[in-house]
Structure formats: C-alpha cells, structure tokens
mmCIF file of all heavy atoms in Angstrom:
data_model
loop_
_atom_site.group_PDB
_atom_site.id
_atom_site.type_symbol
_atom_site.label_atom_id
_atom_site.label_comp_id
_atom_site.label_asym_id
_atom_site.label_seq_id
_atom_site.Cartn_x
_atom_site.Cartn_y
_atom_site.Cartn_z
ATOM 1 N N VAL A 1016 59.316 213.353 -53.353
ATOM 2 C CA VAL A 1016 57.951 212.840 -53.486
ATOM 3 C C VAL A 1016 57.898 211.345 -53.184
ATOM 4 O O VAL A 1016 56.915 210.837 -52.638
ATOM 5 C CB VAL A 1016 57.395 213.146 -54.891
ATOM 6 C CG1 VAL A 1016 56.048 212.464 -55.114
ATOM 7 C CG2 VAL A 1016 57.248 214.653 -55.079
ATOM 8 N N SER A 1017 58.973 210.632 -53.504
ATOM 9 C CA SER A 1017 59.004 209.179 -53.287
ATOM 10 C C SER A 1017 58.898 208.803 -51.813
ATOM 11 O O SER A 1017 58.488 207.691 -51.475
ATOM 12 C CB SER A 1017 60.282 208.585 -53.882
ATOM 13 O OG SER A 1017 61.420 208.860 -53.082
ATOM 14 N N PHE A 1018 59.273 209.714 -50.916
ATOM 15 C CA PHE A 1018 59.141 209.419 -49.492
ATOM 16 C C PHE A 1018 57.685 209.401 -49.050
ATOM 17 O O PHE A 1018 57.348 208.824 -48.025
ATOM 18 C CB PHE A 1018 59.901 210.461 -48.659
ATOM 19 C CG PHE A 1018 61.390 210.424 -48.830
ATOM 20 C CD1 PHE A 1018 62.069 211.524 -49.331
ATOM 21 C CD2 PHE A 1018 62.120 209.290 -48.503
ATOM 22 C CE1 PHE A 1018 63.444 211.502 -49.492
ATOM 23 C CE2 PHE A 1018 63.496 209.257 -48.660
ATOM 24 C CZ PHE A 1018 64.161 210.358 -49.156
ATOM 25 N N GLY A 1019 56.814 210.041 -49.820
ATOM 26 C CA GLY A 1019 55.425 210.218 -49.440
ATOM 27 C C GLY A 1019 55.207 211.637 -48.939
ATOM 28 O O GLY A 1019 56.143 212.445 -48.888
ATOM 29 N N PRO A 1020 53.966 212.005 -48.575
ATOM 30 C CA PRO A 1020 53.703 213.349 -48.049
ATOM 31 C C PRO A 1020 54.570 213.639 -46.829
ATOM 32 O O PRO A 1020 54.625 212.844 -45.882
ATOM 33 C CB PRO A 1020 52.217 213.301 -47.693
ATOM 34 C CG PRO A 1020 51.654 212.257 -48.618
ATOM 35 C CD PRO A 1020 52.731 211.218 -48.723
ATOM 36 N N ARG A 1021 55.255 214.791 -46.846
ATOM 37 C CA ARG A 1021 56.204 215.139 -45.790
ATOM 38 C C ARG A 1021 55.502 215.921 -44.682
ATOM 39 O O ARG A 1021 55.811 217.084 -44.410
ATOM 40 C CB ARG A 1021 57.387 215.932 -46.365
ATOM 41 C CG ARG A 1021 58.425 215.072 -47.066
ATOM 42 C CD ARG A 1021 58.084 214.692 -48.473
ATOM 43 N NE ARG A 1021 58.007 215.850 -49.364
ATOM 44 C CZ ARG A 1021 57.229 215.883 -50.441
ATOM 45 N NH1 ARG A 1021 56.432 214.863 -50.743
ATOM 46 N NH2 ARG A 1021 57.235 216.946 -51.225
ATOM 47 N N VAL A 1022 54.542 215.259 -44.057
ATOM 48 C CA VAL A 1022 53.748 215.872 -42.990
ATOM 49 C C VAL A 1022 54.468 215.671 -41.663
ATOM 50 O O VAL A 1022 55.004 214.593 -41.385
ATOM 51 C CB VAL A 1022 52.347 215.240 -42.939
ATOM 52 C CG1 VAL A 1022 51.549 215.785 -41.764
ATOM 53 C CG2 VAL A 1022 51.610 215.490 -44.257
ATOM 54 N N LEU A 1023 54.483 216.713 -40.847
ATOM 55 C CA LEU A 1023 55.177 216.654 -39.569
ATOM 56 C C LEU A 1023 54.765 215.431 -38.758
ATOM 57 O O LEU A 1023 53.584 215.080 -38.700
ATOM 58 C CB LEU A 1023 54.899 217.915 -38.743
ATOM 59 C CG LEU A 1023 55.697 219.155 -39.135
ATOM 60 C CD1 LEU A 1023 55.129 219.810 -40.376
ATOM 61 C CD2 LEU A 1023 55.727 220.146 -37.986
ATOM 62 N N GLY A 1024 55.750 214.788 -38.151
ATOM 63 C CA GLY A 1024 55.485 213.640 -37.297
ATOM 64 C C GLY A 1024 55.420 212.307 -38.017
ATOM 65 O O GLY A 1024 55.199 211.276 -37.378
ATOM 66 N N THR A 1025 55.620 212.303 -39.346
ATOM 67 C CA THR A 1025 55.547 211.054 -40.107
ATOM 68 C C THR A 1025 56.942 210.547 -40.451
ATOM 69 O O THR A 1025 57.926 211.289 -40.427
ATOM 70 C CB THR A 1025 54.759 211.252 -41.412
ATOM 71 O OG1 THR A 1025 55.477 212.173 -42.257
ATOM 72 C CG2 THR A 1025 53.362 211.795 -41.127
ATOM 73 N N ASN A 1026 57.019 209.268 -40.809
ATOM 74 C CA ASN A 1026 58.289 208.691 -41.255
ATOM 75 C C ASN A 1026 58.781 209.369 -42.530
ATOM 76 O O ASN A 1026 59.986 209.535 -42.723
ATOM 77 C CB ASN A 1026 58.134 207.190 -41.484
ATOM 78 C CG ASN A 1026 57.925 206.414 -40.197
ATOM 79 O OD1 ASN A 1026 58.312 206.875 -39.113
ATOM 80 N ND2 ASN A 1026 57.290 205.254 -40.292
ATOM 81 N N ALA A 1027 57.847 209.750 -43.401
ATOM 82 C CA ALA A 1027 58.228 210.422 -44.646
ATOM 83 C C ALA A 1027 58.897 211.758 -44.355
ATOM 84 O O ALA A 1027 59.895 212.131 -44.991
ATOM 85 C CB ALA A 1027 56.993 210.634 -45.527
ATOM 86 N N HIS A 1028 58.369 212.488 -43.400
ATOM 87 C CA HIS A 1028 58.955 213.767 -42.997
ATOM 88 C C HIS A 1028 60.370 213.553 -42.469
ATOM 89 O O HIS A 1028 61.309 214.277 -42.855
ATOM 90 C CB HIS A 1028 58.063 214.412 -41.936
ATOM 91 C CG HIS A 1028 58.485 215.778 -41.497
ATOM 92 N ND1 HIS A 1028 59.296 215.975 -40.405
ATOM 93 C CD2 HIS A 1028 58.197 217.013 -41.987
ATOM 94 C CE1 HIS A 1028 59.501 217.278 -40.239
ATOM 95 N NE2 HIS A 1028 58.844 217.936 -41.188
ATOM 96 N N GLU A 1029 60.548 212.575 -41.624
ATOM 97 C CA GLU A 1029 61.872 212.298 -41.056
ATOM 98 C C GLU A 1029 62.860 211.886 -42.138
ATOM 99 O O GLU A 1029 63.997 212.376 -42.183
ATOM 100 C CB GLU A 1029 61.753 211.192 -40.003
ATOM 101 C CG GLU A 1029 63.060 210.829 -39.312
ATOM 102 C CD GLU A 1029 63.567 211.929 -38.400
ATOM 103 O OE1 GLU A 1029 62.770 212.803 -38.008
ATOM 104 O OE2 GLU A 1029 64.777 211.912 -38.075
ATOM 105 N N ALA A 1030 62.426 210.999 -43.038
ATOM 106 C CA ALA A 1030 63.323 210.517 -44.095
ATOM 107 C C ALA A 1030 63.715 211.634 -45.045
ATOM 108 O O ALA A 1030 64.877 211.739 -45.458
ATOM 109 C CB ALA A 1030 62.649 209.377 -44.858
ATOM 110 N N CYS A 1031 62.770 212.486 -45.409
ATOM 111 C CA CYS A 1031 63.068 213.576 -46.336
ATOM 112 C C CYS A 1031 63.983 214.601 -45.681
ATOM 113 O O CYS A 1031 64.904 215.129 -46.331
ATOM 114 C CB CYS A 1031 61.782 214.238 -46.809
ATOM 115 S SG CYS A 1031 62.053 215.443 -48.121
ATOM 116 N N GLY A 1032 63.769 214.877 -44.404
ATOM 117 C CA GLY A 1032 64.651 215.805 -43.703
ATOM 118 C C GLY A 1032 66.087 215.311 -43.691
ATOM 119 O O GLY A 1032 67.030 216.089 -43.907
ATOM 120 N N ASN A 1033 66.259 214.022 -43.465
ATOM 121 C CA ASN A 1033 67.606 213.437 -43.495
ATOM 122 C C ASN A 1033 68.210 213.547 -44.887
ATOM 123 O O ASN A 1033 69.406 213.831 -45.042
ATOM 124 C CB ASN A 1033 67.554 211.975 -43.062
ATOM 125 C CG ASN A 1033 67.196 211.810 -41.590
ATOM 126 O OD1 ASN A 1033 67.365 212.734 -40.788
ATOM 127 N ND2 ASN A 1033 66.684 210.641 -41.226
ATOM 128 N N TYR A 1034 67.395 213.315 -45.897
ATOM 129 C CA TYR A 1034 67.868 213.394 -47.290
ATOM 130 C C TYR A 1034 68.342 214.809 -47.629
ATOM 131 O O TYR A 1034 69.445 214.990 -48.173
ATOM 132 C CB TYR A 1034 66.736 212.974 -48.228
ATOM 133 C CG TYR A 1034 66.999 213.252 -49.688
ATOM 134 C CD1 TYR A 1034 67.923 212.505 -50.410
ATOM 135 C CD2 TYR A 1034 66.317 214.282 -50.349
ATOM 136 C CE1 TYR A 1034 68.173 212.770 -51.747
ATOM 137 C CE2 TYR A 1034 66.560 214.551 -51.684
ATOM 138 C CZ TYR A 1034 67.485 213.789 -52.384
ATOM 139 O OH TYR A 1034 67.724 214.065 -53.710
ATOM 140 N N LEU A 1035 67.542 215.803 -47.313
ATOM 141 C CA LEU A 1035 67.910 217.182 -47.635
ATOM 142 C C LEU A 1035 69.192 217.584 -46.915
ATOM 143 O O LEU A 1035 70.086 218.208 -47.497
ATOM 144 C CB LEU A 1035 66.771 218.126 -47.257
ATOM 145 C CG LEU A 1035 65.474 217.987 -48.058
ATOM 146 C CD1 LEU A 1035 64.377 218.855 -47.447
ATOM 147 C CD2 LEU A 1035 65.668 218.334 -49.525
ATOM 148 N N SER A 1036 69.291 217.215 -45.651
ATOM 149 C CA SER A 1036 70.487 217.520 -44.880
ATOM 150 C C SER A 1036 71.717 216.832 -45.452
ATOM 151 O O SER A 1036 72.780 217.448 -45.618
ATOM 152 C CB SER A 1036 70.272 217.088 -43.420
ATOM 153 O OG SER A 1036 71.449 217.248 -42.671
ATOM 154 N N ASP A 1037 71.573 215.556 -45.787
ATOM 155 C CA ASP A 1037 72.703 214.788 -46.332
ATOM 156 C C ASP A 1037 73.157 215.342 -47.680
ATOM 157 O O ASP A 1037 74.363 215.387 -47.974
ATOM 158 C CB ASP A 1037 72.325 213.319 -46.479
ATOM 159 C CG ASP A 1037 72.199 212.610 -45.132
ATOM 160 O OD1 ASP A 1037 72.655 213.170 -44.114
ATOM 161 O OD2 ASP A 1037 71.634 211.496 -45.104
ATOM 162 N N GLU A 1038 72.208 215.765 -48.520
ATOM 163 C CA GLU A 1038 72.573 216.317 -49.819
ATOM 164 C C GLU A 1038 73.339 217.634 -49.659
ATOM 165 O O GLU A 1038 74.338 217.867 -50.339
ATOM 166 C CB GLU A 1038 71.329 216.528 -50.689
ATOM 167 C CG GLU A 1038 70.701 215.237 -51.186
ATOM 168 C CD GLU A 1038 71.631 214.453 -52.088
ATOM 169 O OE1 GLU A 1038 71.675 214.717 -53.298
ATOM 170 O OE2 GLU A 1038 72.349 213.569 -51.560
ATOM 171 N N LEU A 1039 72.891 218.486 -48.776
ATOM 172 C CA LEU A 1039 73.604 219.740 -48.538
ATOM 173 C C LEU A 1039 75.037 219.464 -48.064
ATOM 174 O O LEU A 1039 75.989 220.106 -48.521
ATOM 175 C CB LEU A 1039 72.862 220.586 -47.510
ATOM 176 C CG LEU A 1039 71.570 221.257 -47.979
ATOM 177 C CD1 LEU A 1039 70.845 221.901 -46.794
ATOM 178 C CD2 LEU A 1039 71.834 222.296 -49.062
ATOM 179 N N LYS A 1040 75.180 218.506 -47.163
ATOM 180 C CA LYS A 1040 76.525 218.139 -46.703
ATOM 181 C C LYS A 1040 77.360 217.606 -47.855
ATOM 182 O O LYS A 1040 78.546 217.921 -47.984
ATOM 183 C CB LYS A 1040 76.426 217.088 -45.599
ATOM 184 C CG LYS A 1040 75.868 217.605 -44.296
ATOM 185 C CD LYS A 1040 75.733 216.465 -43.289
ATOM 186 C CE LYS A 1040 75.071 216.947 -42.000
ATOM 187 N NZ LYS A 1040 74.828 215.831 -41.053
ATOM 188 N N ARG A 1041 76.753 216.776 -48.695
ATOM 189 C CA ARG A 1041 77.481 216.181 -49.826
ATOM 190 C C ARG A 1041 77.978 217.255 -50.783
ATOM 191 O O ARG A 1041 79.034 217.106 -51.402
ATOM 192 C CB ARG A 1041 76.559 215.193 -50.558
ATOM 193 C CG ARG A 1041 77.232 214.402 -51.654
ATOM 194 C CD ARG A 1041 76.378 213.210 -52.044
ATOM 195 N NE ARG A 1041 75.182 213.586 -52.749
ATOM 196 C CZ ARG A 1041 75.101 213.715 -54.066
ATOM 197 N NH1 ARG A 1041 76.181 213.530 -54.821
ATOM 198 N NH2 ARG A 1041 73.954 214.023 -54.637
ATOM 199 N N PHE A 1042 77.243 218.349 -50.884
ATOM 200 C CA PHE A 1042 77.637 219.436 -51.777
ATOM 201 C C PHE A 1042 78.632 220.400 -51.133
ATOM 202 O O PHE A 1042 79.038 221.377 -51.748
ATOM 203 C CB PHE A 1042 76.406 220.208 -52.248
ATOM 204 C CG PHE A 1042 75.406 219.363 -52.990
ATOM 205 C CD1 PHE A 1042 74.052 219.632 -52.906
ATOM 206 C CD2 PHE A 1042 75.819 218.294 -53.776
ATOM 207 C CE1 PHE A 1042 73.122 218.853 -53.594
ATOM 208 C CE2 PHE A 1042 74.895 217.501 -54.456
ATOM 209 C CZ PHE A 1042 73.544 217.787 -54.364
ATOM 210 N N GLY A 1043 78.988 220.141 -49.865
ATOM 211 C CA GLY A 1043 80.018 220.945 -49.218
ATOM 212 C C GLY A 1043 79.523 222.008 -48.271
ATOM 213 O O GLY A 1043 80.318 222.818 -47.781
ATOM 214 N N ALA A 1044 78.230 222.024 -47.975
ATOM 215 C CA ALA A 1044 77.686 223.035 -47.072
ATOM 216 C C ALA A 1044 77.948 222.668 -45.617
ATOM 217 O O ALA A 1044 78.031 221.481 -45.259
ATOM 218 C CB ALA A 1044 76.189 223.200 -47.289
#
C-alpha cells in the first residue's frame, strides 16, 4: 500500500512488482 495504487503503467505498479519478485526470491523461490 505504501507504494500507492498499483495501477498498470504507474511507478507504484513497477515498484510493487519489483518488491513482490524480490521477496519471492529472498524466500528461495
């Protein structure tokens, strides 16, 4: 939520996508 609304094409969407991907990697996926 801190990134802002995760609407396609926005900086918030890009930042949140990177966060989710990085967290999955950090957990070993």
Side-chain angles (χ1 to χ4, degrees):
V1016 173
S1017 75
F1018 293 119
R1021 281 81 64 209
V1022 175
L1023 281 78
T1025 64
N1026 291 336
H1028 184 267
E1029 181 69 19
C1031 188
N1033 292 338
Y1034 169 72
L1035 294 172
S1036 174
D1037 289 346
E1038 289 297 275
L1039 287 172
K1040 290 177 184 175
R1041 186 164 71 90
F1042 300 147

